[in-house]
Amino acid sequence: MFAKDTLGYRPIPLPDRRYVTDAEMDAAASAFHDRMRTRHTVRDFSARPVSADVIERCIASAGTAPSGANHQPWHFVAIANPSLKSRIRAEAEQEERRFYAGGAGDEWLAALEPMGTNDHKPHLDIAPWLIVIFAQRWGRFDDGTRFKNYYVAESVGIACGFLIAALHHAGLSCLTHTPNPMQFLNAALDRPKSEKPVMILAVGHPADDATIPAVASIKKPLDEILTVLD
Ligand code: IYR
């Protein structure tokens, strides 16, 4: 998709322009906030299957994210295969045992105490999908030569945000999971060394008896996260 000879600057009229009234804008902003405030990170999944089509559509939404120089420095691997999910669980739990046994350090472990997390990760088997997001340090032109990517962490973070919002909008729940370190995912999923695993999203429907940690429902009030200068 990156042919050197098509990359020169060429402005085109803004596509997909929407004309919205102030009232429509107000209603849309409120409706989106009402939807987003019902998103909760879930650790307890049901085994109810989710179609690959839905997962693909949500990842397509993630792929619309802005990125440094529009290089789109991300790759998503969506896994429903039970034996591959089990392998990822086993390798993640191996890392997590070290982390929770002290590798994280006392301060980090104390910060996690209210979240109730531990090295036991059954959701990696139970959730019908795992989506692993990789960040690409460099890309390749169509002729195979390499180019550097910019603002990779920011770009991939934005794409992950789009993905989480798209999954929630579709009626799915997810868990952002970051075993530490994550290099085992390159080998398990056959991704090149130039790609850095950023996170695993376990995706599915919540179990009937799913819970969340009480502290996770407390969000900072707007006046604490926002300064308006008008
Ligand atoms: N990767 C570990 C630890 C962990 C770290 C943070 I920061 C969290 O918000 C939650 C967990 C784990 O997944 O258990």
Side-chain angles (χ1 to χ4, degrees), residues 105-122:
D106 290 346
E107 188 174 355
W108 196 348
L109 291 178
L112 289 179
E113 202 278 327
M115 310 305 291
T117 55
N118 56 36
D119 58 8
H120 194 50
K121 305 293 180 195

Side-chain angles (χ1 to χ4, degrees), residues 3-4 47 66 72 84 96 102 108 123 131 145 180 201 204 206 223 230:
K4 278 178 184 157
Q72 303 158 58
L84 199 44
E96 297 290 17
W108 196 348
H123 46 266
I131 303 174
T145 54
N180 184 4
L201 283 183
D223 64 3
D230 55 11

Side-chain angles (χ1 to χ4, degrees), residues 91-93 95-96 177-182 184-185 199-200:
E91 299 203 38
E93 286 185 332
E95 301 291 2
E96 297 290 17
H177 178 52
T178 49
N180 184 4
M182 288 194 278
F184 71 87
L185 291 165
M199 68 177 75
I200 304 173

Side-chain angles (χ1 to χ4, degrees), residues 10 12 31 46 92 106 134 161 181 192 194 200 202 212:
R10 186 175 60 89
I12 59 169
S46 90
D106 290 346
F134 289 88
S194 55
I200 304 173
I212 64 164

